[in-house]
C-alpha cells in the first residue's frame, strides 16, 4: 500500500493518525548456506525490498492492538498477560517479541499498530522474521526507557530477540539467519554471516547484466508443522556421531568439522545412513558457502551459478527438504540455458527458488518457467525480480 492509503487505514481502525511513526523490516532470500545456521555454519542471505511496514503509536493503555491490512484481521494482547497471546491465529510473533523485550528490561507501552506486508506469507522469504524485527523496533522505539535501552539493543540484539521469540513463544526452533538478515540487510549487498560468532561481512551483489529472480511455487510451507524441528534433532544426533568417530575433536558445532573430517568419520557415520546424509549436507554446504562467496567477489557468476545448483542437489537428496513443487520449479528452470543457477531458498517443503537470469530475459524466463511449472503441477506460480534492500529501520515521513 502507498503511505497515504496506509495512514487512511490506520485512521479507519484506530480513530486518528496523530503521532503515528513508521517502521519497516525486510524479508530475505538466502543465496546459499541452507539449514546450517543452526549448526554454526556460514550463510549468505540478502535482505529484500519486499517487507513489512508497521505504523505505530502509543495508545495510553496496557494493550497492544494490531491490524493486518492483507488479512484484514485485528488482534490484541495485554502487556500484563502476554502468554495469553500464544493462541492467537495472527499476532503471536508480535507478542513473543514483546515478551522478550520486556524480559530484556524494556519498559513497554501499549500501542496501536497497523501491519502492511508486501512479502508473501509462508513462501520461504522470512515474512515472520520481518514481522518480528519491525515489531521489535517499533515497540522498543515507543518504550519508556528507549534512550537507555537502544544502545544495548542494537539491530543485532533485536535479531536475537526475534529468534528467541520464535523459539520460545512460537515453538519453531529456527536459527539466526532470517532475523539477522532482516535486521542488518544492506541495499545491493549480500551478508556473509558466521552463525557461530555472528561476525559478518557485506559482499556487493555484483551481478552485471544478470538479476536474481524468485520463483514462488505457491506451495505453502508451515514451518512449525514441517519437518524443520525434526532436522534439527537429526543434526544433533550427527554431532554426537562425529564426537564418537573423532574423539580427539570434540567440536561444539557440526560446521566446525571439515570435509576431510567427514571422510575420516565415515565408518562410524555409515552405521546411521540417514544421519550420515544430513551430516554430509551440512559439512559440504558450509564449504560451498565460502566457494560461492569467493566466486561472487571475483565476479565469476557462471561458477557461482554452478555452486548453487550443486547446493540444490545436496538439500534435495541429502537433506530431503524440497518436495515435488520445489523440485519441479528447479528442474523446469534447467530448460533455460541462459539461467546460470537455480536453487531452493529458505526452510524448504514449498516456498521459492532463486534463479540467476540475464536481466534482459527476466520476462521471458518468468513467462516460460511459469507455463512449464503450471503444466506440470497445476499450480500457478508467481515471480519477483529481486531488489536487495536495507535492514530494519524507522522511515521518515
Ligand atoms: C528457516 C529458518 C532459518 C534457517 C532456514 C534454512 O528460514 O528460520 O533459521 O534455518 O530455514 O536455512
Amino acid at each position: 500500500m502507498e503511505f497515504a492509503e496506509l495512514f487512511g487505514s490506520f485512521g479507519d481502525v484506530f480513530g486518528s493518525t496523530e503521532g503515528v511513526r513508521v517502521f519497516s523490516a525486510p524479508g530475505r532470500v538466502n543465496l546459499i548456506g541452507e539449514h546450517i545456521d543452526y549448526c554454526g555454519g556460514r550463510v549468505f542471505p540478502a535482505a529484500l525490498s519486499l517487507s513489512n511496514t508497521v505504523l505505530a503509536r502509543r495508545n495510553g493503555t496496557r494493550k497492544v492492538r494490531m491490524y493486518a491490512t492483507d488479512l484484514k484481521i485485528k488482534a490484541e494482547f495485554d502487556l500484563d498477560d502476554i502468554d495469553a497471546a500464544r493462541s492467537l491465529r495472527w499476532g503471536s510473533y508480535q507478542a513473543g517479541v514483546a515478551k522478550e523485550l520486556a524480559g530484556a528490561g524494556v519498559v513497554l507501552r501499549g500501542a496501536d499498530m497497523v501491519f502492511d506486508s508486501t512479502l508473501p506469507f509462508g513462501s520461504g522469504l522470512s515474512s515472520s522474521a520481518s514481522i518480528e524485527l519491525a515489531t521489535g523496533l517499533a515497540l522498543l522505539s515507543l518504550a519508556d526507557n528507549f534512550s537507555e535501552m537502544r544502545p544495548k539493543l542494537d539491530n543485532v540484539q533485536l535479531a536475537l530477540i526475534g529468534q528467541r521469540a520464535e523459539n520460545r513463544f512460537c515453538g519453531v526452533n529456527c536459527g539466526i539467519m532470517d532475523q539477522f538478515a532482516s535486521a542488518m540487510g544492506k541495499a545491493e549487498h549480500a551478508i556473509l554471516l558466521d552463525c557461530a560468532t555472528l561476525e559478518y561481512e557485506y559482499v556487493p551483489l555484483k551481478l552485471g547484466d544478470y538479476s536474481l529472480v524468485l520463483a514462488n511455487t505457491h506451495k505453502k510451507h508451515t514451518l512449525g508443522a514441517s519437518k524443520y524441528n525434526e532436522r534439527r534433532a537429526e543434526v544433533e544426533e550427527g554431532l554426537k556421531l562425529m564426537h564418537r568417530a573423532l574423539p580427539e575433536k570434540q567440536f561444539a558445532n557440526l560446521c566446525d568439522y571439515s570435509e576431510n573430517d567427514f571422510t575420516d568419520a565415515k565408518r562410524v557415520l555409515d552405521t546411521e545412513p540417514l544421519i550420515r546424509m544430513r551430516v554430509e549436507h551440512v559439512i559440504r554446504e558450509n564449504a560451498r558457502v565460502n566457494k560461492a562467496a569467493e566466486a561472487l567477489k571475483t565476479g565469476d557468476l557462471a561458477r557461482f551459478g554452478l555452486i548453487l545448483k550443486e547446493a540444490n542437489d545436496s538439500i534435495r537428496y541429502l537433506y530431503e527438504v524440497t518436495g515435488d513443487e520445489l523440485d519441479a520449479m528447479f528442474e523446469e528452470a534447467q530448460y533455460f540455458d541462459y539461467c546460470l543457477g537455480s536453487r531452493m531458498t529458505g526452510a524448504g517443503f514449498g516456498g521459492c527458488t532463486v534463479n540467476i537470469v540475464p536481466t534482459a530475459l527476466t520476462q521471458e524466463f518468468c513467462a516460460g518457467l511459469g507455463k512449464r511449472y503450471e503444466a506440470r503441477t497445476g499450480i500457478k506460480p508467481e515471480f519477483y525480480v529481486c531488489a536487495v534492500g536495507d535492514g530494519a529501520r524507522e522511515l521518515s515521513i
Side-chain angles (χ1 to χ4, degrees), residues 28 30 33-35 37-38 174-178 223 228 346-347:
R28 63 96 192 92
N30 187 24
E34 216 65 86
H35 279 276
D37 58 344
Y38 49 81
C174 66
I176 187 61
M177 173 171 73
D178 303 351
L223 262 185
Y228 189 90

Side-chain angles (χ1 to χ4, degrees), residues 369-387:
L369 177 57
K371 224 186 254 164
R372 297 181 72 89
Y373 172 79
E374 190 176 351
R376 189 159 150 185
T377 61
I379 308 174
K380 212 173 186 48
E382 207 176 340
F383 296 89
Y384 326 93
V385 178
C386 241

